[in-house]
Amino acid sequence: MRAKRAPVLLRLAAVVAAGGLLLAGCGRNMAEQPRVEPLQESSLLPGRSGSLTPPEGTVSRQRGGIDPVFFTGQRDGALVTELPVELTLGLLQRGQERYDIYCAACHGYVGDGDGMIVRRGFPRPASFHEQRLQDASVGYIFNAATNGFGRMFAYADRVPAEDRWAIAAYVKALQLSQHAHADDLPAEVRRSLELERSAERASR
Amino acid sequence: MPQYFPPNVNAFVRWSILGGGAFLVALLIALPIYARTVNNAVGVPVEQPIAFAHNLHVTQLGIDCRYCHSTVEVAASANVPSSHVCMTCHSQIRLGAPQLEALWLSWEQDLPIRWNRVHDMPGFAYFDHSAHLTNGVGCSTCHGRVDQMAGMWKTEPMTMGWCMECHRAPERFLRPRSEVFNMAYQPPSDQLTLGRELVVAYDVNTNKLIQCSTCHR
C-alpha cells in the first residue's frame, strides 16, 4: 500500500508546484511601469526629478498670452498703475481667497503684517496700511508677489500671474477697507449695517 | 484491449480534482488578502528625511493645504512642495535646526529632498486630484485628518474596491465645493439628499464613473 500511495502524493505535489509556478508569473510590473511619475526620482533628468521646470524663455499658454505687462507688471520698464485684467467682484473674491492662502500667513488677514508666521519669528513685513504702500500702485504689489521683496520669496512658482493680479487688486481693496468712511458705502450696505448695529444694541 | 491506466490512477484523479479545487479556493482567499494587506499599510507612518508635522503647520499655524500643495486644484498630481517653498519661511525660522538638515542640504546643493511616497498609485490607475476637488470630494474624505497628523500615513486602503464605494454612489460622499478644503467637515444628517443635489449641480456623470476606462486608460 505504502509503495502505491507515495507516487500519488508526489503527483499531487507536482500539481501544487505547477500552480505555484503559475502564481510566480504574478508580479508588480503593471503597477510599476517603466515610466517616470510626477516627482519620481530619475537620474536621466536634470534636477533628478520627474517634475521638470519649463526651460528659460518658455511662453505661457495661460490667459495673457505673451503680453509682457500681464506677466511682469511693467510697461517699458515702469510698474503699471492699472490692472491689465477687468476689475470685477469675482476677481476681488478670487483675490481674497488666494490672499488668505498665500499671503495671510505673514501679512495677516487684514494686511497689517501680524500673521502667524511673523508671531513665530519671521521679520515683520510693512503694513499695507502705511502711507507708502497705500500710495503704491497695483503693479508694485504684483511685482512684489512675482519677484519677492526683501526677505519675502518670489511667489511666481506657486501663484499663477492671473491670481497674482487678483491678489494685487484685493490688497488695494483691503487698503481701502481700512480707511473707508461710512459715507463711502452704497446706501443699501449702509442701511443693513445700521440695522445690524441697532439689533446689536437692542440685544445688549 | 489492454488497460492503459492502473487502478491507482483513480485515486490520482480524485486527488487532483480535490487538490485543484482546494488550490482555487485558497487562491480566491489569498489574493484578496494579499491585495488588501501588502499594498496598503493603512495607519503606518512612513519614515521621511524630515519629520514634517502637518498638525503644527496646518492646525497651529493655520497654513492652508494649498500653500504647499499648490497644484492640487489644477493638476492630476498634488505636488509635494519644492525646497524653495519650505525656505520661504525657513530661510528665517529655525535656522540651522538639525531636524531640518535634509532641507539645508537640498537648498545648498540645489537638489530635491528625497521624500518617501506614502500614496503609491499603481501605474495602471489614473487619478486626478483636480477632477475630484471640482466635483466635491474633500481632502479629508480620502486622506483623513491630515491636519491632526504628526507624521504621514494612509487612512484609507486605496484599493479598487474602496474607490468603487464612492464611484458607484458618489452621493454618499460629495460636499459643496466651498467645503472641500475644510478638514473638520462633517456631513449633514441628510447627506444623501445633499449628495444627490450635488451630483446634479456638478454634472457628475454617474455612468462614466463606473466605466473601466475612466480610471484604466
Short mmCIF file of all heavy atoms in Angstrom, two decimals, chain A residues 73-102:
data_model
loop_
_atom_site.label_atom_id
_atom_site.label_comp_id
_atom_site.label_asym_id
_atom_site.label_seq_id
_atom_site.Cartn_x
_atom_site.Cartn_y
_atom_site.Cartn_z
N GLY A 73 4.05 92.98 -14.98
CA GLY A 73 3.52 94.15 -14.28
C GLY A 73 4.24 95.43 -14.67
O GLY A 73 4.12 96.44 -13.99
N GLN A 74 5.03 95.37 -15.74
CA GLN A 74 5.81 96.54 -16.17
C GLN A 74 5.53 96.88 -17.63
O GLN A 74 5.33 95.99 -18.45
CB GLN A 74 7.31 96.27 -16.02
CG GLN A 74 7.71 96.06 -14.57
CD GLN A 74 9.19 95.75 -14.44
OE1 GLN A 74 9.99 96.18 -15.24
NE2 GLN A 74 9.54 95.00 -13.41
N ARG A 75 5.51 98.18 -17.90
CA ARG A 75 5.45 98.63 -19.29
C ARG A 75 6.63 99.55 -19.53
O ARG A 75 6.79 100.53 -18.79
CB ARG A 75 4.11 99.36 -19.56
CG ARG A 75 4.01 99.87 -21.00
CD ARG A 75 2.65 100.48 -21.29
NE ARG A 75 1.64 99.44 -21.52
CZ ARG A 75 0.53 99.31 -20.78
NH1 ARG A 75 0.31 100.14 -19.80
NH2 ARG A 75 -0.34 98.36 -21.05
N ASP A 76 7.46 99.18 -20.49
CA ASP A 76 8.68 99.95 -20.78
C ASP A 76 9.50 100.20 -19.52
O ASP A 76 9.99 101.31 -19.27
CB ASP A 76 8.34 101.30 -21.45
CG ASP A 76 7.46 101.09 -22.69
OD1 ASP A 76 7.69 100.07 -23.37
OD2 ASP A 76 6.57 101.91 -22.94
N GLY A 77 9.61 99.17 -18.69
CA GLY A 77 10.47 99.27 -17.51
C GLY A 77 9.83 99.95 -16.31
O GLY A 77 10.43 100.02 -15.25
N ALA A 78 8.61 100.46 -16.47
CA ALA A 78 7.95 101.13 -15.34
C ALA A 78 6.78 100.28 -14.86
O ALA A 78 6.08 99.66 -15.67
CB ALA A 78 7.45 102.51 -15.77
N LEU A 79 6.57 100.22 -13.53
CA LEU A 79 5.46 99.43 -12.98
C LEU A 79 4.13 100.05 -13.40
O LEU A 79 3.97 101.28 -13.35
CB LEU A 79 5.56 99.41 -11.45
CG LEU A 79 6.79 98.66 -10.90
CD1 LEU A 79 6.94 98.89 -9.41
CD2 LEU A 79 6.67 97.18 -11.21
N VAL A 80 3.21 99.20 -13.79
CA VAL A 80 1.92 99.72 -14.27
C VAL A 80 1.06 100.16 -13.08
O VAL A 80 1.19 99.64 -11.97
CB VAL A 80 1.15 98.69 -15.12
CG1 VAL A 80 1.91 98.37 -16.39
CG2 VAL A 80 0.88 97.41 -14.33
N THR A 81 0.18 101.10 -13.34
CA THR A 81 -0.70 101.61 -12.28
C THR A 81 -2.13 101.12 -12.48
O THR A 81 -2.98 101.32 -11.63
CB THR A 81 -0.71 103.15 -12.25
OG1 THR A 81 -0.99 103.60 -13.58
CG2 THR A 81 0.64 103.70 -11.81
N GLU A 82 -2.38 100.49 -13.65
CA GLU A 82 -3.73 100.00 -13.95
C GLU A 82 -3.70 98.48 -14.03
O GLU A 82 -2.72 97.89 -14.49
CB GLU A 82 -4.19 100.54 -15.31
CG GLU A 82 -4.46 102.03 -15.32
CD GLU A 82 -5.75 102.39 -14.59
OE1 GLU A 82 -6.75 101.66 -14.77
OE2 GLU A 82 -5.75 103.37 -13.83
N LEU A 83 -4.79 97.85 -13.57
CA LEU A 83 -4.91 96.39 -13.71
C LEU A 83 -4.98 96.01 -15.18
O LEU A 83 -5.75 96.60 -15.92
CB LEU A 83 -6.22 95.93 -13.06
CG LEU A 83 -6.27 95.55 -11.60
CD1 LEU A 83 -7.70 95.15 -11.25
CD2 LEU A 83 -5.33 94.39 -11.31
N PRO A 84 -4.19 95.01 -15.62
CA PRO A 84 -4.31 94.58 -17.02
C PRO A 84 -5.48 93.61 -17.22
O PRO A 84 -5.67 93.09 -18.31
CB PRO A 84 -2.96 93.89 -17.30
CG PRO A 84 -2.52 93.42 -15.97
CD PRO A 84 -3.11 94.33 -14.93
N VAL A 85 -6.22 93.34 -16.15
CA VAL A 85 -7.41 92.48 -16.27
C VAL A 85 -8.62 93.29 -15.81
O VAL A 85 -8.49 94.30 -15.14
CB VAL A 85 -7.27 91.19 -15.42
CG1 VAL A 85 -6.22 90.28 -15.99
CG2 VAL A 85 -6.95 91.53 -13.97
N GLU A 86 -9.79 92.78 -16.18
CA GLU A 86 -11.01 93.51 -15.83
C GLU A 86 -11.27 93.40 -14.33
O GLU A 86 -11.17 92.31 -13.75
CB GLU A 86 -12.19 92.92 -16.61
CG GLU A 86 -13.37 93.86 -16.69
CD GLU A 86 -14.62 93.16 -17.23
OE1 GLU A 86 -14.46 92.12 -17.90
OE2 GLU A 86 -15.72 93.65 -16.96
N LEU A 87 -11.59 94.53 -13.70
CA LEU A 87 -11.87 94.53 -12.27
C LEU A 87 -13.34 94.17 -12.05
O LEU A 87 -14.24 94.90 -12.43
CB LEU A 87 -11.57 95.91 -11.67
CG LEU A 87 -11.86 96.07 -10.17
CD1 LEU A 87 -11.04 95.09 -9.35
CD2 LEU A 87 -11.61 97.48 -9.71
N THR A 88 -13.54 92.98 -11.45
CA THR A 88 -14.91 92.53 -11.18
C THR A 88 -14.98 92.08 -9.72
O THR A 88 -13.95 91.89 -9.08
CB THR A 88 -15.29 91.33 -12.07
OG1 THR A 88 -14.36 90.27 -11.79
CG2 THR A 88 -15.22 91.67 -13.54
N LEU A 89 -16.19 91.88 -9.24
CA LEU A 89 -16.35 91.37 -7.88
C LEU A 89 -15.73 89.96 -7.80
O LEU A 89 -15.08 89.61 -6.81
CB LEU A 89 -17.83 91.32 -7.50
CG LEU A 89 -18.11 90.86 -6.07
CD1 LEU A 89 -17.48 91.81 -5.05
CD2 LEU A 89 -19.60 90.73 -5.82
N GLY A 90 -15.90 89.20 -8.89
CA GLY A 90 -15.33 87.84 -8.94
C GLY A 90 -13.82 87.87 -8.78
O GLY A 90 -13.25 87.03 -8.07
N LEU A 91 -13.18 88.86 -9.42
CA LEU A 91 -11.71 88.97 -9.33
C LEU A 91 -11.29 89.25 -7.89
O LEU A 91 -10.36 88.64 -7.37
CB LEU A 91 -11.21 90.08 -10.26
CG LEU A 91 -9.68 90.24 -10.29
CD1 LEU A 91 -9.06 89.26 -11.27
CD2 LEU A 91 -9.26 91.65 -10.63
N LEU A 92 -12.03 90.16 -7.23
CA LEU A 92 -11.70 90.50 -5.84
C LEU A 92 -11.94 89.31 -4.92
O LEU A 92 -11.16 89.08 -3.99
CB LEU A 92 -12.52 91.71 -5.38
CG LEU A 92 -12.12 93.05 -6.00
CD1 LEU A 92 -13.04 94.16 -5.52
CD2 LEU A 92 -10.67 93.39 -5.66
N GLN A 93 -13.00 88.54 -5.18
CA GLN A 93 -13.27 87.38 -4.33
C GLN A 93 -12.19 86.31 -4.52
O GLN A 93 -11.74 85.70 -3.56
CB GLN A 93 -14.66 86.81 -4.65
CG GLN A 93 -15.76 87.64 -4.01
CD GLN A 93 -17.14 87.33 -4.55
OE1 GLN A 93 -17.27 86.76 -5.64
NE2 GLN A 93 -18.16 87.71 -3.82
N ARG A 94 -11.78 86.13 -5.78
CA ARG A 94 -10.67 85.22 -6.06
C ARG A 94 -9.40 85.72 -5.35
O ARG A 94 -8.66 84.95 -4.75
CB ARG A 94 -10.45 85.13 -7.57
CG ARG A 94 -9.25 84.31 -8.00
CD ARG A 94 -9.53 82.84 -7.96
NE ARG A 94 -8.35 82.07 -8.37
CZ ARG A 94 -8.26 80.75 -8.29
NH1 ARG A 94 -9.27 80.04 -7.85
NH2 ARG A 94 -7.16 80.12 -8.66
N GLY A 95 -9.18 87.03 -5.42
CA GLY A 95 -8.01 87.63 -4.79
C GLY A 95 -8.03 87.41 -3.29
O GLY A 95 -7.00 87.08 -2.68
N GLN A 96 -9.21 87.55 -2.68
CA GLN A 96 -9.32 87.34 -1.23
C GLN A 96 -8.99 85.89 -0.89
O GLN A 96 -8.22 85.62 0.04
CB GLN A 96 -10.74 87.67 -0.77
CG GLN A 96 -10.92 87.44 0.72
CD GLN A 96 -12.31 87.84 1.22
OE1 GLN A 96 -13.30 87.62 0.54
NE2 GLN A 96 -12.36 88.43 2.38
N GLU A 97 -9.56 84.97 -1.66
CA GLU A 97 -9.31 83.55 -1.39
C GLU A 97 -7.82 83.24 -1.49
O GLU A 97 -7.23 82.59 -0.62
CB GLU A 97 -10.10 82.70 -2.39
CG GLU A 97 -10.04 81.23 -2.13
CD GLU A 97 -10.53 80.40 -3.30
OE1 GLU A 97 -9.91 80.47 -4.39
OE2 GLU A 97 -11.53 79.71 -3.16
N ARG A 98 -7.18 83.73 -2.57
CA ARG A 98 -5.75 83.45 -2.79
C ARG A 98 -4.88 84.19 -1.78
O ARG A 98 -3.86 83.67 -1.35
CB ARG A 98 -5.34 83.84 -4.22
CG ARG A 98 -6.07 83.07 -5.29
CD ARG A 98 -5.67 81.62 -5.33
NE ARG A 98 -6.83 80.75 -5.14
CZ ARG A 98 -6.81 79.44 -5.25
NH1 ARG A 98 -5.70 78.80 -5.56
NH2 ARG A 98 -7.90 78.72 -5.04
N TYR A 99 -5.27 85.41 -1.42
CA TYR A 99 -4.53 86.17 -0.40
C TYR A 99 -4.54 85.39 0.92
O TYR A 99 -3.50 85.25 1.57
CB TYR A 99 -5.16 87.55 -0.21
CG TYR A 99 -4.52 88.37 0.89
CD1 TYR A 99 -3.48 89.25 0.61
CD2 TYR A 99 -4.94 88.24 2.22
CE1 TYR A 99 -2.89 89.99 1.63
CE2 TYR A 99 -4.34 88.97 3.23
CZ TYR A 99 -3.31 89.84 2.93
OH TYR A 99 -2.71 90.55 3.94
N ASP A 100 -5.72 84.87 1.28
CA ASP A 100 -5.83 84.15 2.54
C ASP A 100 -4.98 82.88 2.54
O ASP A 100 -4.49 82.45 3.59
CB ASP A 100 -7.30 83.81 2.84
CG ASP A 100 -8.10 85.05 3.21
OD1 ASP A 100 -7.49 86.13 3.37
OD2 ASP A 100 -9.34 84.95 3.33
N ILE A 101 -4.79 82.27 1.37
CA ILE A 101 -3.98 81.06 1.28
C ILE A 101 -2.49 81.41 1.32
O ILE A 101 -1.72 80.84 2.10
CB ILE A 101 -4.26 80.28 -0.03
CG1 ILE A 101 -5.71 79.80 -0.07
CG2 ILE A 101 -3.31 79.10 -0.18
CD1 ILE A 101 -6.12 79.25 -1.42
N TYR A 102 -2.07 82.34 0.46
CA TYR A 102 -0.63 82.52 0.23
C TYR A 102 -0.01 83.71 0.96
O TYR A 102 1.21 83.76 1.11
CB TYR A 102 -0.37 82.68 -1.29
CG TYR A 102 -0.70 81.44 -2.06
CD1 TYR A 102 -1.87 81.35 -2.81
CD2 TYR A 102 0.14 80.33 -2.01
CE1 TYR A 102 -2.19 80.19 -3.51
CE2 TYR A 102 -0.17 79.17 -2.70
CZ TYR A 102 -1.33 79.10 -3.45
OH TYR A 102 -1.65 77.96 -4.11
#
